[in-house]
Amino acid sequence: MATVALRDVRKSYGTNAVIHGVSIEIADGEFIVIVGPSGCGKSTLLRMVAGLEPITSGTIEIGGRVVNDLEPRARDIAMVFQNYALYPHMSVFDNMAYGLRIGGIRGAELRARVEQTAAMLELTPYLDRKPRQLSGGQRQRVAMGRALVRGPAAFLLDEPLSNLDAKLRVGMRLRIKDLQRSVGTTALYVTHDQVEAMTLADRLIVMNGGVAEQIDTPMRIYLEPATTFVAGFIGSPAMNILPAQGTEQGVLLGAVPLALGRPAPGRDVLLGIRPEDLTVAPEGEGLPLTIRAVELLGADAYAHGEIAGGGEMVVRVPGKKALSPGARVGVLPAPGLAHFFDPATGRRLP
Amino acid sequence: MNRATFPHRLLPYLLVAPQLAISLVFFYWPAAQALRQSTQREDPFGLATQFVGLANFRAVLSDPAWLNALRVTVVFSAWTAFLSMAIALLLATQAEKLIRGKDVYRTLLIWPYAVATAIAGMLWLFLFNPSFGTLAWPLRQIGIRWDPLLNGTQAMGLVIAAAAWKQISYNFLFFVAGLQAIPKSLLEAAAIDGAGGARRFWTITFPLLAPTTFFLLVVNTVYALFDTFGIIHAVTGGGPGRATETLVYKVYNDGFVNLQLGSSAAQSVILMAIVIALTAIQFRYIERRVHYG
Ligand SMILES: Nc1ncnc2c1ncn2[C@@H]1O[C@H](COP(=O)(O)OP(=O)(O)O)[C@@H](O)[C@H]1O
Ligand SMILES: [Mg+2]
């Protein structure tokens, strides 16, 4: 168990900079999720913490000790790989025992520790099997077990659930959170799935193009996204972001005045409203919207439409009151839940 | 598995016909001849032939010179296969670590394979000639009384070195391919689990290379048994004494030099049996234990 600190960590491959300075202080036992689109540098960041990639500049501390130049094995961490990286020629038992044996643990203690971890992950019946004789979900648990059994200072997980089918993934998600809480080990978890990110994280790092756009709790990121990228990435369906103009009373969206917040009068802004913060009203009230398509999910439906004066907008409506394409309605934004961003920098306006 | 299918029934047979014809003319027919000759006694001029049953085999198996050749063959083949594979594996693992110049290094290492066996033999013979060999001189400088023309152990060392050197390229290529097939993440996982470089090699890389190693073991054994004739012929001629006379070399010596055709044929039949048995054992007992995935 340990704290982890990244201070202005950067990475370049040749002249190609892929991580542009990430800093975060992680408390002991905290569950940090690194989330972002594919190619934004999540794996690179994690692999630098693991010691699998040298860092170009900055410092990484684990347990108060700078580990910049330490080999992975000297960092007291365990990692779960996306493809699990189980040793194919070893039984499940030997896969889990590999690191312990290297650590000098033998005999009854070795057996006890492996068996205890295996029991925790319901792997006891499979201890003698080779990885190829296991299902995807079982392999994933072996990979988890191999990390857990060593009792490391920190867990690093790189998209550990992305090779599972949707149902297993939800089950394992809850389980990982449970396990991490019960052992109390600091965890860094990489995913591109925002639902995983929201549900698992104590704090989230939202990455985009090698930059940590926002580091905060999931709820604060949802409620106060720091940039248009974060606003669009967290939350599903994505936040509606439309150009608008500040007025004395509120904003002017297209030609429609809305009493939402108060950016400086006359100022151009980007107005963000989440689909779940909009309600449908009869035509004539609020913002006129022409429905183009409706996605019906059962409990909810997402109505995609076009607002007067151009611009797309998505509205969440109850499934039972789903609209039909072609309908003309008005939408009312919930007061106080609108977000304003600077059109030039994409940053949140106070 | 993707099976190619041919619309015509005859076409597949036509396509394998050349290969079959070659095997028939250059393998099955001589093999049958050897089998027939091994039961006969023939005078050197081929004028009189006499059926003698298994007498040739009995004579061969109780001949001390043949038993010596068997011992020489075992020592020679084991060392040749071991050395050429071990060195190739070492070079392949080092090549994997290179970031720059990988291709140049690989290309250069493949060249010895293009050298004909007999030429390779001559090369080593000249390099280590006791009187003018470029590499014999340093050996003598470090206190070794280098004289492979008289010292049987040194002669053996020389042919093993030449034979192994020639085969390193081939083994190297296969080991490079084998190493590339091992997922990097396995070695990373082992590194995080605390394994150092040597331990990663022996507990992860080496076991996962087993299919390649096994294949090369079969190939190198067969190579050492048969394809090294040219090297032995050029370097030592089986000498000094009979110190480097392998089974194959003895078949040649007895049959083509001494014209004992019956005995030579019996020896080649025994050799054939040995190879078939060796290959069968290797496939039956080793191959089953080396495949993962
Ligand atoms: N070994 C490498 N050499 C050069 N570029 C790399 C290397 N590894 C990753 N990159 C680049 O770094 C960026 C981030 O990659 P990665 O961390 O794998 O992204 P993510 O895990 O978020 O999908 C990508 O643009 C990728 O092309
Ligand atoms: Mg990745």
Side-chain angles (χ1 to χ4, degrees):
Chain A
M1 269 165 267
T3 58
V4 176
L6 311 190
R7 302 215 173 85
D8 197 28
V9 171
R10 291 168 188 271
K11 175 76 185 177
S12 307
Y13 290 106
T15 55
N16 179 23
V18 295
I19 304 283
H20 306 273
V22 173
S23 302
I24 181 175
E25 304 275 336
I26 301 171
D28 187 12
E30 209 175 0
F31 199 123
I32 298 290
V33 174
I34 305 170
V35 67
S38 177
C40 70
K42 309 180 294 290
S43 297
T44 305
L45 192 61
L46 198 72
R47 291 167 58 82
M48 289 195 290
V49 177
L52 298 172
E53 296 283 349
I55 63 179
T56 306
S57 71
T59 50
I60 297 181
E61 271 178 25
I62 299 176
R65 184 173 56 137
V66 175
V67 297
N68 283 17
D69 299 317
L70 293 186
E71 293 274 310
R73 61 176 157 158
R75 298 190 180 196
D76 193 18
I77 39 125
M79 184 155 170
V80 177
F81 292 80
Q82 184 170 7
N83 65 0
Y84 313 142
L86 301 179
Y87 312 128
H89 56 302
M90 296 183 197
S91 66
V92 169
F93 184 94
D94 289 333
N95 263 281
M96 289 169 60
Y98 187 79
L100 293 179
R101 286 199 175 111
I102 291 172
I105 293 163
R106 294 282 140 83
E109 195 195 343
L110 177 81
R111 182 149 285 281
R113 280 178 69 172
V114 172
E115 279 171 357
Q116 189 197 344
T117 308
M120 209 154 68
L121 291 160
E122 286 154 42
L123 286 169
T124 310
Y126 312 111
L127 281 175
D128 291 326
R129 293 212 193 158
K130 294 276 170 64
R132 69 164 177 277
Q133 296 164 313
L134 300 176
S135 71
Q138 290 162 348
R139 282 180 209 185
Q140 207 282 331
R141 297 210 300 275
V142 177
M144 290 293 302
R146 193 170 62 179
L148 277 168
V149 74
R150 283 182 31 229
F155 292 129
L156 308 177
L157 305 99
D158 192 353
E159 312 221 13
L161 304 182
S162 63
N163 284 342
L164 298 180
D165 61 60
K167 201 165 169 195
L168 264 178
R169 192 150 48 201
V170 175
M172 269 321 281
R173 195 165 76 204
L174 293 168
R175 193 151 190 170
I176 286 177
K177 182 79 184 169
D178 257 12
L179 283 171
Q180 191 266 348
R181 228 180 243 141
S182 66
V183 295
T185 305
T186 314
L188 261 105
Y189 183 111
V190 162
T191 180
H192 63 264
D193 181 319
Q194 53 122 346
V195 179
E196 247 170 57
M198 291 295 286
T199 51
L200 283 172
D202 292 329
R203 273 194 300 159
L204 268 177
I205 304 179
V206 185
M207 301 241 333
N208 181 31
V211 174
E213 299 244 343
Q214 190 171 8
I215 301 176
D216 214 330
T217 62
M219 211 49 203
R220 283 185 50 96
I221 284 181
Y222 174 80
L223 291 174
E224 286 179 27
T227 64
T228 48
F229 171 80
V230 176
F233 193 78
I234 299 292
S236 173
M239 183 187 284
N240 299 298
I241 298 176
L242 299 156
Q245 222 170 29
T247 62
E248 292 296 337
Q249 290 78 34
V251 288
L252 201 59
L253 180 60
V256 185
L258 297 167
L260 293 167
R262 315 183 146 238
R267 173 164 189 178
D268 281 329
V269 296
L270 288 172
L271 167 65
I273 309 173
R274 295 199 181 274
E276 53 269 39
D277 295 335
L278 291 164
T279 44
V280 173
E283 195 181 359
E285 286 180 47
L287 192 65
L289 187 73
T290 312
I291 306 299
R292 293 270 176 252
V294 179
E295 291 176 290
L296 190 56
L297 279 88
D300 294 324
Y302 301 130
H304 298 251
E306 207 172 300
I307 53 171
E312 306 261 317
M313 190 168 253
V314 182
V315 187
R316 188 179 74 176
V317 292
K320 287 175 189 150
K321 292 194 198 163
L323 302 162
S324 43
R328 288 162 178 281
V329 294
V331 287
L332 298 169
L337 292 176
H339 310 262
F340 298 101
F341 303 96
D342 183 329
T345 63
R347 306 226 130 254
R348 181 179 193 84
L349 295 172
Chain B
M1 269 301 193
N2 191 3
R3 245 166 219 268
T5 50
F6 295 100
H8 203 281
R9 291 182 64 106
L10 219 58
L11 186 62
Y13 296 100
L14 273 174
L15 290 175
V16 293
Q19 179 64 41
L20 278 180
I22 287 170
S23 301
L24 225 57
V25 173
F26 290 101
F27 179 70
Y28 288 101
W29 186 57
Q33 288 280 336
L35 214 57
R36 190 173 58 81
Q37 278 191 342
S38 68
T39 61
Q40 293 175 342
R41 175 170 299 152
E42 197 170 357
D43 72 300
F45 304 103
L47 298 176
T49 351
Q50 186 193 348
F51 180 78
V52 294
L54 295 177
N56 283 328
F57 289 96
R58 241 172 274 133
V60 164
L61 291 174
S62 59
D63 179 4
W66 188 82
L67 292 174
N68 173 65
L70 182 64
R71 193 189 55 79
V72 166
T73 305
V74 170
V75 171
F76 173 78
S77 307
W79 274 106
T80 303
F82 172 75
L83 277 184
S84 61
M85 286 169 68
I87 296 172
L89 181 54
L90 182 72
L91 293 174
T93 49
Q94 298 312 307
E96 270 295 284
K97 289 186 197 155
L98 283 181
I99 295 164
R100 256 176 240 166
K102 216 177 205 165
D103 295 333
V104 177
Y105 182 81
R106 280 186 198 159
T107 311
L108 289 178
L109 270 172
I110 290 157
W111 282 359
Y113 194 61
V115 178
T117 325
I119 308 290
M122 292 309 286
L123 211 71
W124 282 76
L125 183 62
F126 282 132
L127 284 174
F128 286 95
N129 183 295
S131 40
F132 57 80
T134 322
L135 296 180
W137 185 77
L139 280 180
R140 217 163 307 130
Q141 290 305 303
I142 57 170
I144 297 169
R145 293 193 50 203
W146 179 248
D147 193 359
L149 296 183
L150 292 178
N151 184 326
T153 315
Q154 293 183 353
M156 180 62 110
L158 188 55
V159 283
I160 288 173
W165 174 77
K166 174 93 173 58
Q167 195 66 1
I168 285 172
S169 312
Y170 182 88
N171 297 343
F172 172 78
L173 275 187
F174 277 87
F175 277 130
V176 165
L179 286 173
Q180 282 174 343
I182 297 176
K184 282 275 166 297
S185 59
L186 289 186
L187 296 170
E188 291 176 349
I192 287 176
D193 267 347
R199 194 196 291 259
R200 286 201 293 275
F201 179 80
W202 289 113
T203 58
I204 310 289
T205 310
F206 191 70
L208 291 177
L209 272 181
T212 308
T213 311
F214 165 73
F215 165 78
L216 288 177
L217 187 67
V218 175
V219 169
N220 282 269
T221 312
V222 173
Y223 161 80
L225 281 174
F226 293 104
D227 290 353
T228 50
F229 174 84
I231 287 175
I232 293 175
H233 194 54
V235 178
T236 63
R242 290 173 178 277
T244 57
E245 188 179 62
T246 58
L247 289 172
V248 171
Y249 201 76
K250 190 165 159 51
V251 168
Y252 160 79
N253 229 4
D254 288 356
F256 293 89
V257 180
N258 301 330
L259 295 179
Q260 298 167 2
L261 296 182
S263 167
S264 171
Q267 289 177 38
S268 58
V269 170
I270 295 172
L271 199 52
M272 229 175 338
I274 291 175
V275 173
I276 291 171
L278 258 185
T279 314
I281 289 170
Q282 285 173 327
F283 272 97
R284 177 129 177 62
Y285 293 102
I286 310 181
E287 199 204 17
R288 267 195 301 179
R289 313 184 43 187
V290 298
H291 283 282
Y292 313 108

